[in-house]
Structures are given as C-alpha cells and as structure tokens.
C-alpha cells in the first residue's frame, strides 16, 4: 500500500525558510504516470494549491507563491521536497503532500499524506 | 476570496438529497476545465469524491454524483447519512491565474 509521509520542523521563525519533505513508501516515486504536489490549509480555512513536480523535475507553482517556492524530487531516496522562503504568520498552515495522476484525463490528487502543521512564530 | 464560489453551508435530514454548487467564470469552469470534488472529514486529509465533472474514483459510493453546466458545477448527495457530515471543496483550473483553485468549501450538516 502506497503511503505518503510529511516531515519537517513544526515551528519556523518569520523571514526564515520552511522546509518539508514527503517520503513515499510502498512504491517507487518514479513508477506510473504521477505528479507530486503540495497543498496547504490554514486553520479553519480552505485549501490552497502550492504546486506540483514531476519526477523529471518539471514544476508548476502557484503564481502567488512562485517567488518563494522551490520544489525538488530525489528519486534515489523516494521523496520530494518543498521549500518556502521568507515566511510570515500567513504561511502558518497544515501542509499536505499528495499524488495525482496524469494521462488521458488529468486526475487531481487521490493519495494524500496525513498533513503536518507548520507554525510561523518567533 | 476564491474565484470558485460555494455556499458556506447546506443541511439536510438523513435520507434526503442535498446539492452543493460551485460557481466559476469564463476562465475556469466556463473555459471547459474539469471540476473535481473533495470531502474532508474533521482532522483528516481531503478525499477525492468526483473527478472530471462526474467521474467517481473506485470505492466512492454512488450516492455522490457530479455535474457541470456552463460556468457552474454541482455535487449531489442522495440518501444523506450522518457520516456525510463534512466539508466539501470543489477544484478547477483557472487560466487567468494559471493555478488550480479550490472553492472556499461547504459545510454539510446532517440534521
């Protein structure tokens, strides 16, 4: 059974860089026609698409975050990562990693991690 | 504020049918981009209910159905059950913003 697990600091200081990793277990990150995404959700609020990455390294970022976001993939370690720079309190949220499918029809993420709460505070 | 508008809440008695609307515009739903629906139970990650307007992933009960017309889409839940009490989000692509956008979410309450 394929599973995703987010990991990283739960507390980040303002102006610093948030760094999260999503480890894929149960299958190779390179298998199948998938993309790997990050989505976040502030407390008691809705979902926000951060971006996605393919195992080729190709990325698509939310334009509102593009100047601060970097995603990468490490196929040797079966994981992908998110970096968000110059964080503020507005970046406090639960961060989810998720897997979606590309093919004849684009399918949004069906496999999600449990999510990890990142708080931005001094 | 999202470019996809959902009602904040809907409610219904057990066994009833409820619908949740997702209204967009010419740069998203009206442009032909697919609409997808998620259910999020409290404290859990979202679960995909409908993709590409009306397709159900395996394992999703047929009580859930989706439709799309013009610049709007709808999620219908028939035979409402207590376990359906959750937040529901629509998702589509917006070509003006060049990003996938979620609706603000609709809380379904089972009376």
């Amino acid at each position: 059974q394929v599973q995703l697990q987010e990991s990283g600091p739960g507390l980040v200081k303002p102006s610093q860089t948030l760094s999260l990793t999503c480890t894929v277990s149960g299958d190779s990150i390179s298998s199948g026609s998938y993309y790997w995404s990050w989505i976040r959700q502030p407390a008691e609020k809705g979902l926000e698409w951060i971006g996605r990455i393919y195992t080729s390294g190709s990325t698509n970022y939310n334009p509102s975050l593009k100047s601060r976001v970097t995603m990468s993939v490490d196929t040797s370690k079966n994981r992908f990562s998110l970096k968000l720079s110059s964080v503020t309190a507005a970046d406090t949220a639960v961060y989810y990693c998720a897997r979606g499918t590309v093919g004849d029809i684009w399918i949004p993420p069906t496999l999600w991690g449990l999510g990890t709460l990142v708080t931005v505070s001094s | 504020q999202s470019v996809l508008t959902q009602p904040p809440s809907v409610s219904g008695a057990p066994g009833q049918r409820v619908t949740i609307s997702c209204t967009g515009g010419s740069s998203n739903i009206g442009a032909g981009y697919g609409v997808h629906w998620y259910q999020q139970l409290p404290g859990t990650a979202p679960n995909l209910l409908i993709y590409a307007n009306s397709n159900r992933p395996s394992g999703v009960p047929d009580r859930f159905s989706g439709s799309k017309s013009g610049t709007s889409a709808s999620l219908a839940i028939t035979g409402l059950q207590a376990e359906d009490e959750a937040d529901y989000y629509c998702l589509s692509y917006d070509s003006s913003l060049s990003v996938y956008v979620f609706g603000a979410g609709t809380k379904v309450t089972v009376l």
Side-chain angles (χ1 to χ4, degrees):
Chain A
Q1 181 181 1
V2 184
Q3 293 183 319
L4 306 181
Q5 178 66 60
E6 305 91 348
S7 60
L11 181 64
V12 181
K13 288 183 168 53
S15 80
Q16 294 191 341
T17 296
L18 177 161
S19 296
L20 295 174
T21 295
C22 182
T23 301
V24 181
S25 60
D27 196 9
S28 168
I29 196 173
S30 300
S31 69
S33 300
Y34 301 120
Y35 62 88
W36 307 89
S37 57
W38 290 96
I39 295 161
R40 70 181 182 179
Q41 184 173 34
E44 305 304 318
K45 294 188 178 180
L47 301 160
E48 181 179 30
W49 184 277
I50 300 173
R52 64 178 173 185
I53 187 167
Y54 297 85
T55 50
S56 64
S58 174
T59 56
N60 300 104
Y61 300 145
N62 185 328
S64 70
L65 300 170
K66 189 174 183 177
S67 63
R68 300 194 290 130
V69 169
T70 303
M71 292 183 186
S72 60
V73 60
D74 187 337
T75 55
S76 66
K77 295 184 178 179
N78 228 38
R79 67 189 191 190
F80 61 105
S81 300
L82 167 71
K83 291 187 186 297
L84 181 66
S85 64
S86 304
V87 297
T88 69
D91 295 310
T92 295
V94 173
Y95 285 75
Y96 294 100
C97 61
R99 185 187 78 177
T101 304
V102 292
D104 293 340
I105 298 177
W106 181 84
I107 300 177
T110 55
L111 180 65
W112 294 61
L114 296 178
T116 188
L117 174 62
V118 178
T119 301
V120 178
S121 175
S122 55
Chain B
Q1 188 167 346
S2 177
V3 295
L4 301 180
T5 301
Q6 297 181 234
S9 64
V10 299
S11 62
Q16 285 190 330
R17 178 180 187 270
V18 297
T19 61
I20 302 169
S21 60
C22 177
T23 302
S26 59
S27 60
N28 41 71
I29 299 175
Y33 294 105
V35 180
H36 322 281
W37 292 92
Y38 283 95
Q39 176 194 60
Q40 187 175 32
L41 299 171
T44 69
N47 178 52
L48 184 66
L49 290 177
I50 299 289
Y51 67 92
N53 306 323
S54 58
N55 297 277
R56 275 189 310 274
S58 61
V60 174
D62 59 6
R63 302 187 296 104
F64 296 93
S65 63
S67 63
K68 172 186 165 182
S69 178
T71 58
S72 296
S74 293
L75 173 71
I77 310 174
T78 57
L80 194 64
Q81 300 180 3
E83 66 203 51
D84 299 331
E85 196 160 279
D87 294 322
Y88 293 80
Y89 295 90
C90 59
L91 167 68
S92 188
Y93 183 78
D94 189 282
S95 58
S96 293
L97 300 174
S98 298
V99 70
Y100 291 100
V101 289
F102 288 93
T106 298
K107 182 174 183 60
V108 170
T109 300
V110 181
L111 301 173

